[in-house]
Structures are given as structure tokens and as C-alpha cells.
Amino acid sequence: MVYYGAAYWNFSLIILKFAKVITYFHEVLGNAGGSWFQDPDTRPLVVEAGGLLYKCKVLAREMKSERPTRRLSHPGLDPVPPSRTTADTMVQLYFQYYESTHRILHVPTFWIDYERYWENPESAPMGLRFIILLVIAIGSSLFEHIDQEGEFRSMVHRWVYAAQTWLSGPLEKDRLNVTGLQVHCLTILARQIFCLGSDLVWSSTGSLIHRAMQIALHRDPKHLPPMTVSQAEVRRRLWATILEIAVQSSLDSDMPPRISFDEFDTESPSNVNDDEIDESTAVLQPHSRDEFTMTLTQLILLDSLRIRHQIVKLLNGLSTDISYADVLTLTSNLNKALGSCSILKPERRNPAMIPFHRNLLDYLVRRFLLHVHIPFSCRAHSNPLFHYSRKVSLDAAIAMISPEPDEAFSRLVVIGGGMFKSGIRYAGVAVSLELLAQTEAQYTDMTLHRNSEYRAVLQRAVQKTISLSAERIQHGESNVKMHVFLNMVIAEAEAMEAGSTSCNFEIARSARDSLQLCHDMLQLQMGSVPLLWDNEMGDLPNFDGERGAYTPDFDIGNFLEDASIF
């Protein structure tokens, strides 16, 4: 059994708005036992979809069986680096894109250690080896030709598993220090980027916070024994990164944050570039917040961290009753925090802050607005008092689905798991909810063919999310539910536009077509995979060898969650 916080159950109420889509999926699973989707034209499509769903399940299991943890007989892994040329390229990509939002390393110090590492890789301390390999791994996620090198991807996954194994081993002194925490942060970031246990990051974050507090990262360096200015800044940056990881993983897991603001007094890092501080630096001269540095993006995230922490506490507390007044206050405070940063305004943009940084910053903050407003936005269709939530959640969803054009960020959203996947899933639900509500409202008042521009915008957003879901499957995603769900939503909306009274046939056909496409894409990922069972006509067998539903614990609330089917 997996426990879900209060926000999960608020989200499950939203799924009730998709009654026909959910009921159809239950029919495919054999769980419904109702009268819907039973007519002679629709029932064969239900049976065919059930067979395709089972085949997708088999392929998904085959894909997961190839993961390193499914094949390792012992934890002893000796990570081997790639060629120096390849490594240099990937490291440059890491520092160009990722380090600004997640400050983990001091760049000049890293390059010194990096050169020493290549002089004799085998003699390097294990912590340094993992830092370098994880930096290479994370950087490779944005290398456009890496998809053609399956062996390199497998090697990257083995590095991540090896690092996790090293961190999970007996606690030695070489793990309980800044280097060990840097490995831990890089491992969690890599797990989310490469979908390696990314839905379990919240649990790992607890261990990360505990270890950080054991070496006093939660206390500002001015309260600790004397250390260099450079060491103090690295500690402050690392602690800020740990807090960001904690609040993001809390949002994704629907669980409370693992730390509160009265448990630490570490101050924010200074707005300085890495080449402006070293071990000989005696006094810092921070730049103003109007000047871009490699640390500024982290500082902008820190400005809203307390508010986002409060949002997570509100969403994932024990009470399922969320005060709308609290939601409005937190929204206002979050908007003010972002609005106070002048460098984000179009007229003040610094070329050094590339679109990837702006997109990632916007994504990491905006998704909190989506989570806190979407439970109220579905009520706005019957209660105008919640219209503001309808607007905020829809604006956030559209912005997340259609960010500022940038190839690197687009690639991250295609391959990423954890927080990079969860936000898009919620955005897809928000837009789908609005599309069905708007179509139904116009169907009722007979204005469908007089005002279609707004629905067209919503349909394009849903179609874009469908395309993104397909791209994710082509890049190794094994979960097909989002693709099927969104196609059924589009089919229901289009059927209403065409004047259909039930939409059952159109929903069933779209699900069948989506599952066929997903099966073909999974088949290409796996090659030729012999299936254990092929359904011609009839009910599905479950995985215990009985006939009937093979996921009896499937419910409406977890329709889009990773743990339910795939």
C-alpha cells in the first residue's frame, strides 16, 4: 500500500469530471460491470483495446526488466568513464544548462579536480569519481546524438545505479561530507532526468536532508568554526539546492516537506560568479540582483521557496479542507516574489540568462500554482467564485505546455521523469478539464458553431501534449496512460461538437487507435518481443492466471499515476 496525502484526494475529485473516459478504461480492464460501451458497434473496440493494453503491459515489463537493478547480482560496480573527448563535451553541457538552477559544484574547483582525475582515474577517490561521472551523465541528457548510442545510455544508467548503491552502503566518512552530499544531489537530479526511480525521490530526500544536517549545513557558516569564504559559499549553495529538491519532491509525491523553516538558519548564497571566489578570497563583493551571475537563478528560486513550502504544507497536510483565502494569499505572495525580479522582465533580460534557464525557472515555480488551484478550478464551472482559479490553473498549464522555444528544454521535457514529467501530466489534465467543460457548456447553450476560437486553442494544447506523450514513449517511456487518456478527451470533445449524444463509440475508437500506436512504438523500442498471450475475442486474463480484470486495485484517483498500471 502506498500512502497519498490530502492533495492526492483533492486531485481524484477532478478526475471524476472525466466520467466517460474513466468508465471506458474500467471497461477495458474488465472492472466496470456497467451498461456503458455495450452496444454492438462499441463492444468489439473495447475487447480489442483490452488486448492491446495487455500487450503494452507485457512490453513495459520487458523494458523494465532490462534496467540495471533487475540484472545486478551484487552491488559491486566499477564505473568506467567514456573517452576524454566525449566526457569534455558532456561536462560543458552540464555547466551550461543545469548548474545554474541546482548549485552543487564550485566550477573552478571542479575543473582542477577533473584534470587530476584524468591523470589517473583509477586512483581518484570514489566520491570524486562519482561526481565526475554523474556530471557527464547529466550533461549527456542534452546531447542530441546520444539517442543513437544505446550502449552509452546503458552505461549512464549503470553510473547512476552505482552512485545510489555507494550512497546506500555502510556510512563511511567519505560519504558524510560535502563531497558525499554533492554526489547525493547529483544522483537525485540524474534519477529524475533519466526516469530511474524518479517517483521515489521524496524518500531519498529525507536521507539527503539528514546527512546535510549531520554536517551542519542547516547552520549558517558564521555560527560554525572558521572556514574560508569559498567553503562557506559552497555550503550555502548546496543547502539551497537541497531545500529546492525537498520542496519539489514533496509536490510530486503528495507528501509533506521533510524540513521546516524553523529548523535552519543558513543564509542565502551571494550573487557572485564562481571565478570571483577561491580559497584565497577574504571578502566577497556581491553583484546587485539586477546583474546576472551563475548563482542568480538559484537566488530567484530561493525568493519564492518559503511560499512554495507553505503551498506544499497546505496541499499535503492531514486536512483535506483547504482554505481558499489561504490559496489566494499564497498566490499573491508568489506572484509578488517573481514580479520583484527585474531581470526576468522582457525589457531587462540579460543574454547570459539563456531560454533554458528561464524555462526551467518558470516551470519549477509555476507548477505550484497549478497544483494549488486545479482543485478549485473544476468548481468554477458551477461556482463563479472560483473563476480566478480556473484562469490561474489554465494559464499555468498553457505556459508549461508551450514554453519559450528552446531545443534543450524541449529535450529535457521529453526524456525527464519526476518533476519534469509530473508537471506536464498535471498541465495536460488542467487543459483537458477546461476543454470538456467549455465544449459541454457550449453544447448545452447551442453556441458550439458560433464561437470556436477558444476551444481551438485548448484543442491545440491537448494535441501538443499528446505529441509530447508520444515522443516520451519513443524515448523509452513505458507508461501509455497519458497518451490514451488525452486521445479519449479529444474524441469526446469532437463528438460533442459533431452533435453526438453519447460519444461512446468515438471514445472507444480513439482509445483503440491510441493503444495500437503506443503498442507499435513500444514494440520498436524493444524489437521483436514474443508475447505470452494474444487476445482475439474475450475477457482479459489477470496476472494470477484467472480471467477478468488484471488490475483490481485500479481506481479513478490514480488513473494518471505511474504506480497503477505501468
Side-chain angles (χ1 to χ4, degrees):
M1 174 182 177
V2 178
Y3 174 78
Y4 296 100
Y8 172 86
W9 301 111
N10 282 316
F11 183 63
S12 71
L13 296 176
I14 300 165
I15 301 300
L16 289 172
K17 299 293 183 179
F18 302 103
K20 288 191 176 182
V21 170
I22 299 297
T23 301
Y24 175 78
F25 215 87
H26 275 291
E27 288 285 352
V28 171
L29 294 172
N31 294 341
S35 58
W36 286 11
F37 303 101
Q38 300 298 320
D39 62 271
D41 292 333
T42 304
R43 186 60 194 172
L45 294 173
V46 175
V47 175
E48 187 178 356
L52 288 167
L53 181 62
Y54 178 79
K55 292 178 181 180
C56 288
K57 175 68 178 179
V58 172
L59 290 171
R61 286 192 164 186
E62 289 289 335
M63 292 172 66
K64 291 178 180 180
S65 70
E66 295 300 313
R67 293 175 179 174
T69 51
R70 307 294 177 94
R71 294 181 280 109
L72 293 175
S73 58
H74 58 82
L77 294 175
D78 184 24
V80 179
S83 69
R84 176 66 188 268
T85 303
T86 299
D88 289 351
T89 300
M90 306 308 176
V91 170
Q92 293 286 358
L93 286 171
Y94 169 82
F95 284 113
Q96 180 181 355
Y97 292 104
Y98 288 108
E99 178 68 22
S100 291
T101 51
H102 294 77
R103 292 310 322 261
I104 299 171
L105 304 167
H106 179 245
V107 181
T109 300
F110 172 87
W111 284 117
I112 292 172
D113 292 337
Y114 184 74
E115 292 297 331
R116 291 174 180 169
Y117 168 81
W118 283 106
E119 292 174 2
N120 190 354
E122 291 76 15
S123 65
M126 189 59 72
L128 175 60
R129 294 172 68 181
F130 278 124
I131 285 176
I132 291 173
L133 292 176
L134 289 169
V135 166
I136 295 171
I138 294 170
S140 74
S141 66
L142 299 180
F143 187 63
E144 59 180 344
H145 302 301
I146 203 66
D147 289 333
Q148 302 171 7
E149 303 178 21
E151 182 55 36
F152 189 87
R153 289 201 310 272
S154 297
M155 181 169 60
V156 164
H157 291 182
R158 288 195 295 271
W159 295 343
V160 178
Y161 280 112
Q164 186 65 61
T165 300
W166 182 74
L167 290 168
S168 303
L171 193 58
E172 305 284 351
K173 288 184 178 180
D174 62 348
R175 295 165 178 80
L176 195 58
N177 54 24
V178 169
T179 297
L181 292 176
Q182 289 171 326
V183 173
H184 211 149
C185 290
L186 289 167
T187 301
I188 287 177
L189 183 58
R191 282 172 53 187
Q192 299 204 72
I193 291 171
F194 296 108
C195 298
L196 301 174
S198 55
D199 54 339
L200 300 175
V201 163
W202 181 80
S203 298
S204 300
T205 301
S207 173
L208 174 61
I209 291 173
H210 297 159
R211 294 186 185 191
M213 295 179 78
Q214 278 191 289
I215 64 169
L217 247 63
H218 66 301
R219 301 303 313 275
D220 192 78
K222 67 185 179 185
H223 301 303
L224 303 176
M227 64 182 70
T228 66
V229 170
S230 176
Q231 290 171 334
E233 280 302 297
V234 168
R235 292 174 67 91
R236 292 187 180 110
R237 293 173 177 181
L238 194 55
W239 179 249
T241 293
I242 291 170
L243 293 177
E244 186 65 32
I245 290 173
V247 75
Q248 295 287 345
S249 65
S250 179
L251 186 69
D252 289 328
S253 62
D254 298 321
M255 297 296 285
R258 301 301 297 266
I259 192 167
S260 63
F261 271 72
D262 59 3
E263 293 178 295
F264 66 90
D265 59 13
T266 306
E267 296 179 359
S268 299
S270 300
N271 189 32
V272 295
N273 288 304
D274 285 26
D275 58 6
E276 296 173 318
I277 54 173
D278 55 32
E279 289 301 312
S280 64
T281 302
V283 179
L284 278 178
Q285 295 181 334
H287 298 273
S288 72
R289 292 293 294 270
D290 292 334
E291 296 184 55
F292 180 81
T293 72
M294 197 173 179
T295 311
L296 181 59
T297 307
Q298 182 182 62
L299 293 174
I300 297 172
L301 284 171
L302 269 175
D303 288 343
S304 65
L305 183 66
R306 183 183 290 271
I307 305 167
R308 290 182 289 131
H309 185 274
Q310 291 171 341
I311 289 175
V312 171
K313 285 182 65 178
L314 182 68
L315 288 173
N316 299 337
L318 293 179
S319 174
T320 57
D321 294 325
I322 299 177
S323 166
Y324 194 53
D326 290 342
V327 169
L328 295 178
T329 299
L330 290 170
T331 302
S332 176
N333 292 340
L334 188 56
N335 287 331
K336 287 178 182 176
L338 287 178
S340 65
C341 185
S342 61
I343 200 169
L344 292 178
K345 298 177 181 178
E347 66 273 13
R348 297 293 301 275
R349 281 183 178 175
N350 189 308
M353 194 175 201
I354 60 177
F356 181 92
H357 297 151
R358 292 194 294 270
N359 283 334
L360 185 54
L361 175 62
D362 186 77
Y363 180 90
L364 292 177
V365 175
R366 194 179 295 274
R367 67 197 207 99
F368 285 80
L369 292 174
L370 179 58
H371 276 249
V372 78
H373 277 282
I374 194 172
F376 297 97
S377 68
C378 66
R379 306 180 195 177
H381 306 292
S382 57
N383 188 341
L385 291 176
F386 298 115
H387 178 76
Y388 179 68
S389 286
R390 181 179 179 181
K391 180 182 185 303
V392 171
S393 61
L394 186 61
D395 288 348
I398 295 291
M400 292 166 67
I401 293 170
S402 302
E404 182 179 351
D406 179 68
E407 290 184 9
F409 188 76
S410 297
R411 179 172 175 81
L412 175 61
V413 173
V414 166
I415 68 169
M419 60 184 175
F420 304 114
K421 175 182 177 180
S422 173
I424 298 299
R425 185 179 66 224
Y426 270 75
V429 169
V431 177
S432 298
L433 179 68
E434 179 68 11
L435 174 61
L436 289 183
Q438 184 68 22
T439 306
E440 185 176 356
Q442 290 190 259
Y443 179 86
T444 301
D445 62 18
M446 295 179 291
T447 60
L448 276 172
H449 302 293
R450 277 184 273 168
N451 185 9
S452 60
E453 291 82 2
Y454 180 51
R455 294 199 319 277
V457 171
L458 298 174
Q459 286 178 332
R460 285 195 295 270
V462 176
Q463 289 288 2
K464 186 169 184 177
T465 313
I466 291 173
S467 298
L468 176 59
S469 177
E471 283 188 81
R472 289 184 60 85
I473 295 172
Q474 292 168 345
H475 284 78
E477 170 71 78
S478 62
N479 191 323
V480 305
K481 286 180 295 180
M482 193 65 178
H483 192 275
V484 179
F485 168 77
L486 294 174
N487 273 284
M488 288 193 287
V489 167
I490 285 287
E492 183 175 356
E494 290 178 346
M496 280 193 283
E497 289 177 352
S500 175
T501 56
S502 72
C503 311
N504 289 352
F505 177 80
E506 291 83 355
I507 291 174
R509 183 175 57 189
S510 69
R512 187 275 314 273
D513 293 346
S514 171
L515 283 164
Q516 182 64 66
L517 177 61
C518 290
H519 171 265
D520 293 344
M521 289 188 292
L522 291 174
Q523 191 82 47
L524 284 174
Q525 289 292 314
M526 283 296 300
S528 179
V529 179
L531 296 179
L532 303 178
W533 174 80
D534 189 13
N535 184 39
E536 296 294 335
M537 292 289 289
D539 294 328
L540 292 168
N542 66 17
F543 292 112
D544 296 323
E546 301 174 1
R547 300 186 70 78
Y550 56 84
T551 52
D553 59 343
F554 180 84
D555 60 38
I556 293 175
N558 65 15
F559 180 72
L560 296 177
E561 296 297 323
D562 292 340
S564 59
I565 299 178
F566 299 110

